Amino acid sequence: MCSCGGWFATPRASKEALLGFFETLRNEVGSDVDITVVTPGLVGTRLTNEELLKEANALWVPRLSAVTCAKAIVSSSKRGDKYLIMPLWGEDSTTMEDIMS
C-alpha cells in the first residue's frame, strides 16, 4: 500500500520513498516474488467521514467502500498486476467492475 502522493513530484519524500522501495524490490527479487503496488484514493472509514472531509475541503474526492477496495486489491493481485491505482483518475469510462474483472 502506497500513498497516491508517491506518484507526484511533491515535497513528500517518504511517500515517494515507499514507492521507490517497492520498485527497487521488484527489480531485486525479479520473478521470485510478485509485487502489486496499491495506491488507493480515499477509502470510506471513520477517518474519511463527512465532517473531516468538509474541514479539509475534500468532499469532492471520491471515496471507495472498504469492501470495494479489498475486492479490487485481491482481484488485482490474482491477476499479477504491477500496479493498482484506484479510482482511476481521469478514466471516466473505467468502473470498479472493469478493474475487478
Side-chain angles (χ1 to χ4, degrees):
M1 298 292 283
C2 286
S3 169
C4 295
W7 293 105
F8 303 103
T10 61
R12 291 177 173 79
S14 63
K15 294 182 185 314
E16 194 286 322
L18 187 58
L19 181 59
F21 169 76
F22 286 123
E23 294 292 351
T24 302
L25 184 62
R26 185 182 285 134
N27 288 329
E28 292 290 326
V29 299
S31 61
D32 294 338
V33 177
D34 289 330
I35 297 171
T36 300
V37 177
V38 179
T39 53
L42 292 179
V43 178
T45 67
R46 290 182 294 178
L47 297 175
T48 58
N49 67 39
E50 293 284 325
E51 185 178 317
L52 293 173
L53 292 177
K54 187 175 182 179
E55 185 177 314
N57 195 25
L59 286 172
W60 61 273
V61 178
R63 283 174 283 170
L64 303 169
S65 75
V67 170
T68 298
C69 187
K71 286 180 180 179
I73 291 169
V74 170
S75 295
S76 184
S77 296
K78 283 182 174 180
R79 285 192 306 269
D81 296 344
K82 288 186 176 188
Y83 304 97
L84 173 61
I85 301 168
M86 46 193 245
L88 291 175
W89 306 95
E91 295 283 336
D92 293 335
S93 62
T94 304
T95 66
M96 287 308 297
E97 290 76 26
D98 294 331
I99 293 169
M100 294 188 296
S101 62

